[in-house]
Amino acid sequence: MEEEKIIMLMDDGSEIEFTILEKTTLGGIDYILVTDAPDDEDGECYVMRDVSEAGDEEAVYESVDDETELNAVFKIFEEMLKDEIDIER
């Protein structure tokens, strides 16, 4: 997958740049796995759910906090990326 970056606007008004590691859809919901780590460095990964409404000009994402949902989606991302990067929980 070609490297894709997104800028997320945080609740406090600050912006954070994330690199999208992978995308998937589960149960009709789009998810992305992102990291804030610079290229080739260790960092944190986050699973985000697309909560955009039809007609939104930009995608709207929120962190997946539900443990069951997070585990299901994370397992898919682990399988998709098993030969590319080392993901630890």
Side-chain angles (χ1 to χ4, degrees):
M1 181 172 145
E2 184 177 315
E3 188 172 278
E4 185 178 350
K5 298 202 181 263
I6 60 171
I7 304 290
M8 292 201 180
L9 180 61
M10 309 310 286
D11 291 337
D12 66 1
S14 64
E15 294 181 346
I16 300 177
E17 182 177 80
F18 290 96
T19 300
I20 298 175
L21 300 174
E22 193 57 81
K23 300 176 183 181
T24 194
T25 302
L26 180 64
I29 300 171
D30 294 326
Y31 295 90
I32 56 175
L33 179 68
V34 299
T35 185
D36 58 357
D39 296 338
D40 299 325
E41 290 187 26
D42 290 342
E44 298 291 321
C45 287
Y46 305 94
V47 175
M48 310 295 283
R49 174 191 319 110
D50 187 341
V51 294
S52 303
E53 299 285 332
D56 283 349
E57 289 185 28
E58 295 183 354
V60 178
Y61 292 97
E62 67 180 21
S63 180
V64 175
D65 296 324
D66 178 77
E67 198 68 30
T68 303
E69 179 182 13
L70 182 62
N71 287 335
V73 176
F74 198 80
K75 190 173 193 172
I76 293 169
F77 284 133
E78 283 179 313
E79 186 63 29
M80 293 171 78
L81 294 168
K82 68 180 176 186
D83 295 331
E84 295 179 40
I85 62 173
D86 204 13
I87 301 176
E88 297 178 15
R89 289 188 190 213

